[in-house]
């Protein structure tokens, strides 16, 4: 559930030529090569004195990022966010600025799954995790505000796929960015992929009752919406079993009544320590031989606390502030088209402004010989966002059901 081209599922590319031990070693090596030194910015004050959501705690400039061989400059921020229970918490992120633009319009990037360890913050990765896509926005003169999600970069205890916490991280990152970088435009658009797509829809639910100024709409690509269906699918699908322990552990961080021993087999529990320091590709490699009954306990999806967590944090059932461009690849093996079809139809029934587009041949991410939805649909994403900033008609389409792959859907 990540948006990283060239990073996502990189282990799977080597599956035919490398046994599991080799894949694990290669994943660790790749993670270490891409890691940036963790600085004191990520150390939250203790105790953390209460402050408003988005209040800037500290900032630092960095020129350490390198994307497609080119340096990318950024301003890292540590800011006040909120847990799903409303507790004040420190969260990190980064603001990327287009050179030579005085008052850039803003794209907020809700990233796909990177892992749950402190080291798995995209702002601590040399390539920004999916920096190749982020630079497409910089090239258009937009600033990119990229929250890490609270726990990544800081204490390593993120409330994984918790839509309430992630929505607060999005709001806090935007507010803190305006303090760290005066002159950012008031107008902004949200872009979220996979886990970030679910986070973006969670924000859009929040936006209905607690509007954030300047919001012009959201782009979501292969969003993680029906979490129960998603976990069930990942549990049964190799090589994606490693997502399940990440989701279970992150859920337990959020809700202490969730017990991993009721969800995961002893074999899976024996490896859970890896998730504290290993990011997504490491987890996928470590768990690549475990799916189904070897990974999860019988009936784990009916465990009451875990079941409630997944249901509570699923999106697509409530009216969302829009407009929303919803993009799905029909070759996606992580978030399947069938689930996104149902989600789009459900959102349309709420009266939400949804432009649902299915694109043929696109996978979840770019890896091996496959092209991911973000890379394959980037021209559409850029055009739609550009039209929103220009005050054009993008966002007026309202489609329902499952449009034919070669069409954008029928406006009404």
């Amino acid at each position: 559930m990540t948006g990283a081209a060239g990073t996502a599922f990189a282990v799977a590319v080597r599956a035919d030529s490398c046994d599991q031990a080799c894949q694990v070693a290669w994943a660790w090596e790749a993670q270490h090569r891409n890691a940036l030194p963790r600085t004191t910015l990520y150390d939250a004050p203790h105790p953390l004195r209460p402050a408003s959501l988005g209040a800037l705690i500290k900032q630092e400039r960095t020129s350490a990022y390198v994307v497609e061989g080119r340096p990318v400059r950024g301003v890292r921020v540590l800011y006040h966010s909120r847990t799903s229970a409303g507790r004040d918490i420190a969260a990190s992120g980064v603001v990327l600025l287009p050179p030579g633009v005085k008052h850039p319009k803003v794209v907020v990037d809700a990233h796909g799954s990177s892992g749950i360890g402190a080291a798995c913050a995209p702002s601590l990765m040399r390539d920004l995790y999916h920096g190749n896509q982020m630079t497409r926005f910089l090239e258009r003169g937009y600033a990119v505000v990229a929250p890490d999600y609270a726990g990544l970069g800081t204490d390593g205890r993120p409330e994984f796929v918790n839509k309430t916490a992630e929505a607060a991280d999005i709001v806090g990152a935007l507010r803190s960015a305006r303090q760290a970088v005066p002159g950012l435009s008031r107008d902004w658009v949200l872009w979220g992929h996979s886990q970030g797509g679910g986070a973006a829809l969670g924000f859009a639910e929040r936006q209905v009752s607690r509007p954030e100024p300047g919001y012009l709409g959201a782009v979501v690509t292969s969003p993680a919406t029906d979490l129960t269906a998603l976990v069930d699918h990942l549990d049964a699908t190799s090589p994606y079993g490693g997502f399940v322990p990440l989701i279970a552990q992150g859920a337990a961080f959020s809700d202490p009544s969730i017990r991993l021993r009721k969800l995961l087999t002893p074999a899976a529990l024996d490896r859970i320590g890896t998730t504290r320091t290993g990011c997504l590709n490491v987890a996928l490699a470590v768990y690549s031989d475990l799916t189904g009954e070897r990974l999860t306990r019988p009936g784990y999806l009916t465990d009451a606390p875990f079941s409630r967590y997944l249901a509570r944090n699923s999106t697509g059932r409530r009216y969302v502030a829009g407009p929303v461009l919803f993009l799905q690849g029909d070759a996606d093996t992580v978030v399947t088209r069938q689930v996104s079809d149902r989600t789009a139809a459900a959102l349309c029934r709420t009266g939400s402004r949804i432009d649902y587009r299915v694109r043929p041949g696109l996978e979840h991410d770019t890896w091996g010989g496959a092209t991911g939805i973000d890379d394959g649909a980037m021209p559409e994403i850029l055009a739609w966002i550009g039209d929103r900033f220009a005050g054009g008609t993008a966002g007026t389409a309202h489609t329902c059901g499952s449009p034919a792959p070669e069409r954008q859907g029928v406006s009404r």
Side-chain angles (χ1 to χ4, degrees):
M1 293 192 296
T2 168
T7 300
F9 312 131
V11 171
V13 177
R14 299 175 59 93
D16 293 336
S17 59
C18 191
D19 65 15
Q20 185 181 19
C22 167
Q23 291 179 46
V24 171
W26 185 84
W28 276 118
E29 180 186 356
Q31 179 175 317
H32 291 321
R33 282 199 311 267
N34 196 38
L36 294 173
R38 185 181 182 277
T39 69
T40 57
L41 173 115
Y42 298 87
D43 297 329
H46 185 74
L48 182 64
R49 299 192 177 191
S52 60
L53 175 61
L56 184 65
I57 300 172
K58 45 186 167 177
Q59 66 186 85
E60 66 179 16
R61 293 190 174 272
T62 178
S63 56
Y65 302 121
V66 179
V67 178
E68 297 178 332
R70 293 177 294 175
V72 177
R73 298 181 183 275
V75 180
R76 290 178 178 143
V77 292
L78 188 74
Y79 60 93
H80 288 262
S81 188
R82 297 290 185 268
T83 68
S84 60
R87 180 173 59 85
D88 201 322
I89 191 172
S92 60
V94 65
V95 187
L96 307 176
L97 298 171
V101 182
K102 286 187 176 181
H103 300 290
K105 296 178 174 63
V106 176
V107 174
V108 177
D109 166 30
H111 68 84
S113 303
S114 58
I116 59 174
C120 305
S123 70
L124 280 171
M125 297 182 186
R126 193 175 307 278
D127 66 358
L128 288 160
Y129 196 44
H130 51 125
N132 63 314
Q133 295 161 1
M134 298 162 82
T135 56
R136 301 292 88 84
F137 297 102
L138 297 176
E139 291 165 358
R140 294 293 181 101
Y142 305 141
V144 177
V145 175
D148 289 325
Y149 305 137
L152 301 182
T154 53
D155 65 0
R157 295 178 61 86
E159 296 188 81
F160 196 63
V161 297
N162 186 304
K163 66 180 182 182
T164 302
E166 291 169 346
D169 294 338
I170 289 169
V171 173
L174 179 66
R175 293 180 182 178
S176 69
R178 298 194 187 285
Q179 298 164 58
V181 185
L184 293 179
S185 168
R186 177 180 183 274
D187 293 336
W188 66 285
V189 168
L190 179 57
W191 164 50
H193 173 66
S194 196
Q195 177 191 353
L201 290 173
F203 165 83
E205 290 179 2
R206 171 196 171 105
Q207 181 72 2
V208 173
S209 58
R210 287 174 284 177
E212 193 66 18
Y215 172 71
L216 298 179
V219 177
V220 297
T221 55
S222 299
T225 55
D226 184 339
L227 297 183
T228 303
L230 177 63
V231 171
D232 189 38
H233 168 69
L234 296 171
D235 177 36
T237 307
S238 178
Y240 303 146
F243 279 119
V244 178
L246 292 176
I247 294 170
Q249 178 64 88
F253 288 150
S254 184
D255 180 358
S257 70
I258 294 173
R259 298 284 188 263
L260 294 186
R261 60 181 173 78
K262 294 184 177 181
L263 310 177
L264 303 176
T265 64
L269 284 172
D270 284 346
R271 307 178 194 186
I272 198 70
T274 305
T275 65
R276 298 190 188 103
T277 52
C279 298
L280 178 61
N281 279 331
V282 172
L284 291 177
V286 166
Y287 283 95
S288 62
D289 61 329
L290 298 184
T291 55
E293 63 183 13
R294 301 188 64 206
L295 178 65
T296 54
R297 289 189 173 277
Y300 77 104
L301 283 175
T302 62
D303 175 76
F306 190 52
S307 176
R308 283 196 301 269
Y309 185 84
L310 297 178
R312 186 183 306 123
N313 290 293
S314 291
T315 52
R317 303 168 183 175
R318 295 170 54 187
Y319 179 82
V320 296
V324 175
L325 174 61
F326 186 151
L327 292 164
Q328 173 69 34
D330 73 353
D332 196 319
T333 56
V334 179
V335 175
T336 65
R337 176 186 171 171
Q338 289 78 12
V339 171
S340 287
D341 283 352
R342 293 198 302 268
T343 298
L347 283 169
C348 283
R349 286 194 295 272
T350 70
S352 302
R353 284 188 290 162
I354 306 297
D355 183 358
Y356 181 47
R357 309 178 187 180
V358 176
R359 290 296 169 253
L362 296 184
E363 243 284 11
H364 195 70
D365 288 295
T366 298
W367 61 278
T371 299
I373 183 66
D374 287 294
D375 289 316
M378 186 55 70
E380 289 181 76
I381 295 171
L382 291 170
W384 192 90
I385 288 176
D387 197 64
R388 293 305 303 153
F389 283 132
T393 59
T396 59
H398 181 172
T399 65
C400 287
S402 305
E406 71 276 10
R407 300 176 59 201
Q408 293 183 6
V410 179
S411 298
R412 69 176 189 180

Coordinates of all heavy atoms in Angstrom, one line a residue, residues 12-79:
A12 N 9.9 -8.1 -4.4 CA 9.2 -9.1 -5.3 C 9.9 -9.2 -6.7 O 9.8 -10.2 -7.3 CB 7.7 -8.7 -5.5
V13 N 10.6 -8.1 -7.1 CA 11.2 -8.2 -8.4 C 12.3 -9.2 -8.4 O 12.6 -9.8 -9.4 CB 11.8 -6.8 -8.7 CG1 12.6 -6.8 -10.0 CG2 10.7 -5.7 -8.7
R14 N 12.9 -9.5 -7.3 CA 14.0 -10.4 -7.2 C 13.6 -11.8 -6.8 O 14.4 -12.7 -6.6 CB 15.0 -9.9 -6.1 CG 15.6 -8.6 -6.5 CD 16.5 -8.1 -5.3 NE 17.6 -9.0 -5.1 CZ 18.8 -8.9 -5.6 NH1 19.0 -8.0 -6.5 NH2 19.8 -9.8 -5.4
A15 N 12.2 -12.0 -6.7 CA 11.8 -13.3 -6.2 C 12.2 -14.5 -7.0 O 12.4 -15.6 -6.4 CB 10.2 -13.3 -6.1
D16 N 12.3 -14.4 -8.3 CA 12.7 -15.5 -9.1 C 14.1 -15.9 -9.0 O 14.5 -17.0 -9.4 CB 12.3 -15.3 -10.6 CG 10.8 -15.2 -10.7 OD1 10.1 -15.8 -9.9 OD2 10.3 -14.6 -11.7
S17 N 15.0 -15.0 -8.6 CA 16.4 -15.2 -8.7 C 17.1 -15.2 -7.3 O 18.3 -15.2 -7.2 CB 17.1 -14.1 -9.5 OG 16.8 -12.8 -9.0
C18 N 16.3 -15.2 -6.2 CA 16.8 -15.0 -4.9 C 15.9 -15.7 -3.9 O 14.7 -15.5 -3.9 CB 16.9 -13.5 -4.6 SG 17.8 -12.9 -3.2
D19 N 16.5 -16.5 -3.0 CA 15.7 -17.2 -2.0 C 15.3 -16.2 -0.9 O 15.7 -15.0 -0.9 CB 16.4 -18.4 -1.4 CG 17.6 -18.1 -0.6 OD1 17.8 -16.9 -0.3 OD2 18.4 -19.0 -0.4
Q20 N 14.5 -16.6 0.1 CA 14.0 -15.7 1.1 C 15.1 -15.0 1.9 O 15.0 -13.8 2.1 CB 13.0 -16.4 2.0 CG 12.3 -15.4 3.0 CD 11.4 -16.1 3.9 OE1 11.4 -17.3 4.1 NE2 10.5 -15.3 4.5
A21 N 16.1 -15.8 2.3 CA 17.1 -15.2 3.1 C 17.8 -14.1 2.3 O 18.2 -13.0 2.8 CB 18.1 -16.2 3.5
C22 N 18.0 -14.3 1.0 CA 18.6 -13.3 0.1 C 17.8 -12.1 0.0 O 18.2 -11.0 0.0 CB 18.9 -14.0 -1.2 SG 19.3 -12.9 -2.6
Q23 N 16.4 -12.3 -0.2 CA 15.5 -11.2 -0.3 C 15.5 -10.3 1.0 O 15.5 -9.1 0.9 CB 14.1 -11.7 -0.5 CG 13.9 -12.4 -1.9 CD 12.5 -12.9 -2.1 OE1 11.5 -12.2 -1.7 NE2 12.3 -14.1 -2.5
V24 N 15.5 -11.0 2.1 CA 15.6 -10.2 3.4 C 16.8 -9.4 3.5 O 16.8 -8.2 3.8 CB 15.4 -11.2 4.6 CG1 15.7 -10.4 5.9 CG2 14.1 -11.9 4.6
A25 N 18.0 -10.0 3.1 CA 19.3 -9.3 3.2 C 19.3 -8.1 2.2 O 19.7 -7.0 2.5 CB 20.4 -10.3 2.9
W26 N 18.7 -8.4 1.0 CA 18.7 -7.3 0.0 C 17.8 -6.2 0.4 O 18.1 -5.0 0.2 CB 18.2 -7.9 -1.3 CG 18.3 -6.9 -2.4 CD1 19.3 -6.6 -3.2 CD2 17.2 -6.1 -2.9 NE1 19.0 -5.6 -4.1 CE2 17.7 -5.3 -3.9 CE3 15.8 -5.9 -2.5 CZ2 16.9 -4.4 -4.6 CZ3 15.1 -5.0 -3.1 CH2 15.6 -4.2 -4.2
A27 N 16.7 -6.5 1.1 CA 15.7 -5.5 1.5 C 16.4 -4.6 2.6 O 16.3 -3.4 2.6 CB 14.4 -6.1 2.0
W28 N 17.1 -5.2 3.6 CA 17.8 -4.5 4.6 C 18.8 -3.6 4.0 O 19.0 -2.4 4.4 CB 18.4 -5.4 5.6 CG 17.5 -5.9 6.7 CD1 17.1 -7.2 7.0 CD2 16.9 -5.1 7.7 NE1 16.3 -7.2 8.1 CE2 16.2 -6.0 8.6 CE3 16.9 -3.8 8.0 CZ2 15.4 -5.5 9.7 CZ3 16.2 -3.3 9.1 CH2 15.5 -4.2 9.9
E29 N 19.6 -4.1 3.1 CA 20.7 -3.3 2.4 C 20.1 -2.1 1.7 O 20.6 -1.0 1.8 CB 21.4 -4.2 1.4 CG 22.6 -3.5 0.7 CD 23.2 -4.3 -0.3 OE1 22.9 -5.5 -0.5 OE2 24.1 -3.7 -1.0
A30 N 19.0 -2.3 1.0 CA 18.3 -1.2 0.2 C 17.8 -0.2 1.2 O 17.9 1.0 1.0 CB 17.2 -1.8 -0.6
Q31 N 17.3 -0.6 2.3 CA 16.7 0.3 3.3 C 17.9 1.2 3.9 O 17.8 2.4 4.1 CB 16.0 -0.4 4.4 CG 15.5 0.5 5.5 CD 14.6 -0.2 6.6 OE1 13.8 -1.1 6.2 NE2 14.9 0.1 7.9
H32 N 19.0 0.5 4.3 CA 20.1 1.2 4.9 C 20.7 2.2 3.9 O 21.1 3.3 4.2 CB 21.2 0.2 5.3 CG 20.7 -0.6 6.5 ND1 20.0 -0.1 7.6 CD2 20.9 -1.9 6.8 CE1 19.7 -1.0 8.4 NE2 20.3 -2.1 8.0
R33 N 20.8 1.8 2.6 CA 21.4 2.7 1.6 C 20.5 4.0 1.4 O 21.0 5.1 1.1 CB 21.5 2.0 0.2 CG 22.6 1.1 0.1 CD 22.9 0.8 -1.4 NE 21.8 0.5 -2.2 CZ 21.3 -0.8 -2.4 NH1 22.0 -1.8 -1.9 NH2 20.2 -1.0 -3.1
N34 N 19.2 3.8 1.6 CA 18.3 4.9 1.3 C 18.0 5.8 2.6 O 17.4 6.8 2.5 CB 17.0 4.4 0.8 CG 16.1 5.5 0.2 OD1 16.6 6.4 -0.5 ND2 14.8 5.4 0.4
A35 N 18.5 5.3 3.7 CA 18.2 6.0 5.0 C 19.1 7.3 5.1 O 20.3 7.3 4.8 CB 18.4 5.1 6.1
L36 N 18.5 8.3 5.7 CA 19.2 9.5 6.1 C 19.4 9.5 7.6 O 18.6 8.9 8.3 CB 18.4 10.8 5.7 CG 18.2 11.0 4.2 CD1 17.3 12.2 3.9 CD2 19.6 11.2 3.5
P37 N 20.4 10.1 8.1 CA 20.6 10.2 9.5 C 19.4 10.9 10.2 O 18.9 11.9 9.8 CB 21.9 11.0 9.7 CG 22.6 10.9 8.4 CD 21.5 10.8 7.3
R38 N 19.0 10.3 11.3 CA 17.9 10.9 12.1 C 18.5 12.0 12.9 O 19.5 11.8 13.7 CB 17.3 9.8 13.0 CG 16.1 10.3 13.8 CD 15.6 9.2 14.7 NE 14.4 9.6 15.4 CZ 14.4 10.3 16.6 NH1 15.6 10.6 17.1 NH2 13.3 10.6 17.2
T39 N 17.9 13.2 12.8 CA 18.5 14.3 13.5 C 17.6 14.6 14.8 O 16.6 14.0 15.0 CB 18.4 15.6 12.6 OG1 17.0 16.0 12.4 CG2 19.1 15.3 11.3
T40 N 18.1 15.6 15.5 CA 17.4 15.9 16.8 C 16.0 16.6 16.5 O 15.2 16.7 17.4 CB 18.2 16.9 17.6 OG1 18.5 18.1 16.9 CG2 19.5 16.2 18.1
L41 N 15.7 16.9 15.3 CA 14.4 17.5 15.0 C 13.3 16.5 15.4 O 12.2 16.9 15.8 CB 14.2 17.8 13.5 CG 12.8 18.2 13.1 CD1 12.8 19.6 12.5 CD2 12.2 17.2 12.1
Y42 N 13.6 15.2 15.2 CA 12.5 14.2 15.5 C 12.4 13.9 17.0 O 11.5 13.1 17.3 CB 12.9 12.9 14.7 CG 12.9 13.1 13.2 CD1 14.0 13.6 12.6 CD2 11.7 12.9 12.5 CE1 14.0 13.8 11.2 CE2 11.7 13.2 11.1 CZ 12.9 13.6 10.5 OH 12.9 13.8 9.1
D43 N 13.2 14.5 17.8 CA 13.1 14.3 19.3 C 12.1 15.3 19.8 O 12.4 16.5 19.9 CB 14.4 14.5 20.0 CG 15.4 13.4 19.5 OD1 15.0 12.3 19.2 OD2 16.6 13.7 19.5
A44 N 10.9 14.8 20.2 CA 9.9 15.7 20.7 C 10.2 16.2 22.2 O 10.9 15.4 22.9 CB 8.5 15.0 20.8
P45 N 9.9 17.4 22.5 CA 10.1 17.9 23.9 C 9.4 17.0 24.9 O 8.3 16.4 24.6 CB 9.5 19.3 23.9 CG 9.4 19.7 22.5 CD 9.2 18.4 21.7
H46 N 10.0 16.7 26.0 CA 9.3 15.9 27.0 C 9.4 16.6 28.4 O 10.5 16.9 28.9 CB 10.1 14.6 27.2 CG 9.4 13.6 28.1 ND1 8.2 13.0 27.8 CD2 9.7 13.2 29.4 CE1 7.8 12.2 28.8 NE2 8.7 12.4 29.8
P47 N 8.3 17.0 29.0 CA 6.9 16.7 28.4 C 6.6 17.6 27.3 O 7.1 18.7 27.2 CB 6.0 16.9 29.7 CG 6.8 18.0 30.4 CD 8.2 17.7 30.3
L48 N 5.6 17.2 26.5 CA 5.2 18.0 25.3 C 4.1 18.9 25.9 O 3.0 18.4 26.2 CB 4.6 17.1 24.2 CG 4.1 17.8 23.0 CD1 5.3 18.5 22.3 CD2 3.5 16.8 22.0
R49 N 4.3 20.1 25.9 CA 3.3 21.1 26.4 C 2.2 21.2 25.4 O 2.4 21.3 24.2 CB 4.0 22.4 26.7 CG 5.1 22.3 27.7 CD 5.5 23.7 28.2 NE 6.5 23.6 29.3 CZ 6.9 24.6 30.1 NH1 6.4 25.8 29.9 NH2 7.8 24.4 31.0
P50 N 1.0 21.3 25.9 CA -0.2 21.3 24.9 C -0.1 22.6 24.1 O 0.3 23.7 24.5 CB -1.4 21.4 25.9 CG -0.9 20.8 27.2 CD 0.5 21.2 27.3
A51 N -0.5 22.4 22.8 CA -0.6 23.5 21.9 C -1.7 23.2 20.8 O -2.1 22.1 20.8 CB 0.8 23.8 21.2
S52 N -2.0 24.2 20.0 CA -3.0 23.9 19.0 C -2.6 23.0 18.0 O -1.4 22.8 17.7 CB -3.4 25.3 18.4 OG -2.3 25.9 17.8
L53 N -3.5 22.3 17.3 CA -3.2 21.4 16.2 C -2.4 22.2 15.1 O -2.9 23.2 14.6 CB -4.5 20.9 15.6 CG -4.4 20.0 14.4 CD1 -3.5 18.7 14.7 CD2 -5.8 19.6 13.9
G54 N -1.3 21.7 14.8 CA -0.5 22.3 13.7 C 0.6 23.3 14.2 O 1.4 23.8 13.4
A55 N 0.6 23.5 15.5 CA 1.6 24.5 16.1 C 3.0 23.9 15.8 O 3.2 22.7 16.1 CB 1.3 24.7 17.6
L56 N 3.8 24.8 15.3 CA 5.2 24.3 14.9 C 6.0 24.2 16.2 O 6.1 25.1 17.0 CB 5.8 25.4 13.9 CG 7.1 25.0 13.4 CD1 7.1 23.8 12.5 CD2 7.7 26.2 12.6
I57 N 6.7 23.1 16.3 CA 7.6 22.8 17.4 C 9.0 23.2 17.0 O 9.7 23.9 17.7 CB 7.5 21.4 17.9 CG1 6.1 21.0 18.3 CG2 8.5 21.1 19.0 CD1 5.9 19.5 18.6
K58 N 9.5 22.7 15.9 CA 10.8 23.1 15.4 C 10.9 22.8 13.9 O 10.0 22.0 13.4 CB 11.9 22.5 16.2 CG 11.8 21.0 16.5 CD 12.9 20.5 17.4 CE 12.6 19.1 18.0 NZ 13.8 18.7 18.8
Q59 N 11.9 23.3 13.3 CA 12.1 23.1 11.8 C 13.6 23.0 11.5 O 14.4 23.5 12.3 CB 11.4 24.2 11.0 CG 12.1 25.6 11.2 CD 11.3 26.7 10.5 OE1 10.3 27.2 11.1 NE2 11.7 27.0 9.3
E60 N 13.9 22.4 10.4 CA 15.3 22.4 9.9 C 15.3 22.3 8.4 O 14.5 21.6 7.8 CB 16.1 21.3 10.5 CG 15.6 19.9 10.1 CD 16.5 18.8 10.7 OE1 17.2 19.0 11.7 OE2 16.4 17.6 10.2
R61 N 16.2 23.0 7.8 CA 16.4 22.9 6.3 C 17.3 21.7 6.0 O 18.2 21.4 6.8 CB 17.0 24.2 5.7 CG 16.0 25.3 5.8 CD 16.5 26.6 5.1 NE 15.4 27.6 5.1 CZ 14.4 27.7 4.2 NH1 14.3 26.8 3.2 NH2 13.5 28.6 4.3
T62 N 17.0 21.1 4.9 CA 17.9 20.0 4.5 C 18.0 19.9 3.0 O 17.1 20.3 2.2 CB 17.3 18.6 4.9 OG1 18.2 17.5 4.5 CG2 15.9 18.4 4.4
S63 N 19.2 19.6 2.5 CA 19.5 19.4 1.1 C 19.9 18.0 0.8 O 20.6 17.7 -0.2 CB 20.5 20.4 0.6 OG 21.7 20.3 1.4
A64 N 19.5 17.0 1.7 CA 20.0 15.7 1.6 C 19.3 14.8 0.7 O 19.7 13.7 0.3 CB 20.0 15.0 3.0
Y65 N 18.1 15.2 0.2 CA 17.3 14.4 -0.7 C 17.8 14.4 -2.1 O 18.3 15.4 -2.6 CB 15.8 14.9 -0.7 CG 15.2 14.9 0.6 CD1 14.7 16.1 1.1 CD2 15.1 13.8 1.4 CE1 14.1 16.2 2.4 CE2 14.4 13.8 2.7 CZ 14.0 15.0 3.1 OH 13.4 15.1 4.4
V66 N 17.8 13.2 -2.7 CA 18.2 13.0 -4.1 C 17.2 12.2 -4.8 O 16.9 11.0 -4.4 CB 19.6 12.4 -4.2 CG1 20.0 12.2 -5.7 CG2 20.7 13.2 -3.5
V67 N 16.6 12.8 -5.8 CA 15.5 12.1 -6.6 C 15.9 12.1 -8.1 O 16.1 13.1 -8.6 CB 14.2 12.8 -6.4 CG1 13.1 12.1 -7.2 CG2 13.8 12.8 -4.9
E68 N 16.0 10.8 -8.6 CA 16.3 10.7 -10.0 C 17.6 11.4 -10.3 O 17.8 12.1 -11.4 CB 15.2 11.1 -10.9 CG 13.9 10.3 -10.7 CD 12.8 10.8 -11.6 OE1 12.7 12.0 -11.9 OE2 11.9 9.9 -12.0
G69 N 18.6 11.3 -9.4 CA 19.9 11.9 -9.6 C 19.9 13.4 -9.3 O 21.0 14.0 -9.5
R70 N 18.8 14.0 -8.9 CA 18.8 15.5 -8.7 C 18.5 15.8 -7.3 O 17.7 15.2 -6.6 CB 17.7 16.1 -9.6 CG 18.0 16.0 -11.1 CD 16.9 16.6 -11.9 NE 15.7 15.9 -11.8 CZ 14.5 16.2 -12.3 NH1 14.4 17.4 -12.9 NH2 13.5 15.5 -12.1
P71 N 19.2 16.8 -6.7 CA 19.0 17.2 -5.3 C 17.6 17.9 -5.2 O 17.2 18.6 -6.1 CB 20.1 18.2 -5.0 CG 20.5 18.7 -6.3 CD 20.3 17.6 -7.4
V72 N 17.0 17.6 -4.1 CA 15.7 18.2 -3.7 C 15.8 18.8 -2.4 O 16.2 18.1 -1.4 CB 14.5 17.2 -3.8 CG1 13.2 17.9 -3.3 CG2 14.4 16.6 -5.2
R73 N 15.6 20.1 -2.3 CA 15.7 20.8 -1.0 C 14.3 20.8 -0.2 O 13.3 20.9 -0.9 CB 16.2 22.2 -1.2 CG 17.6 22.3 -1.8 CD 18.0 23.8 -1.9 NE 19.3 23.8 -2.6 CZ 20.5 23.7 -2.0 NH1 20.5 23.5 -0.7 NH2 21.6 23.7 -2.6
G74 N 14.4 20.7 1.1 CA 13.2 20.7 1.9 C 13.4 21.3 3.2 O 14.5 21.6 3.7
V75 N 12.2 21.6 3.9 CA 12.2 22.1 5.2 C 11.5 21.0 6.1 O 10.3 20.8 5.9 CB 11.5 23.4 5.3 CG1 11.5 23.9 6.8 CG2 12.2 24.5 4.4
R76 N 12.2 20.4 6.9 CA 11.5 19.4 7.8 C 10.8 20.1 9.0 O 11.3 21.2 9.4 CB 12.5 18.4 8.4 CG 13.1 17.4 7.4 CD 14.1 16.6 8.1 NE 14.7 15.6 7.3 CZ 16.0 15.2 7.3 NH1 16.8 15.8 8.2 NH2 16.4 14.2 6.5
V77 N 9.7 19.6 9.4 CA 9.0 20.2 10.5 C 8.6 19.1 11.5 O 8.4 18.0 11.2 CB 7.7 20.9 10.0 CG1 8.0 22.1 9.1 CG2 6.8 19.9 9.2
L78 N 8.5 19.6 12.8 CA 8.0 18.8 13.9 C 6.8 19.7 14.4 O 7.1 20.8 14.7 CB 9.0 18.5 14.9 CG 8.5 17.5 16.0 CD1 8.4 16.1 15.4 CD2 9.4 17.5 17.2
Y79 N 5.6 19.1 14.5 CA 4.5 19.9 14.9 C 3.5 19.1 15.8 O 3.6 17.9 16.0 CB 3.7 20.3 13.6 CG 3.2 19.2 12.7 CD1 1.9 18.7 12.9 CD2 4.0 18.6 11.8 CE1 1.5 17.6 12.1 CE2 3.6 17.5 11.0 CZ 2.3 17.1 11.2 OH 1.8 16.0 10.4

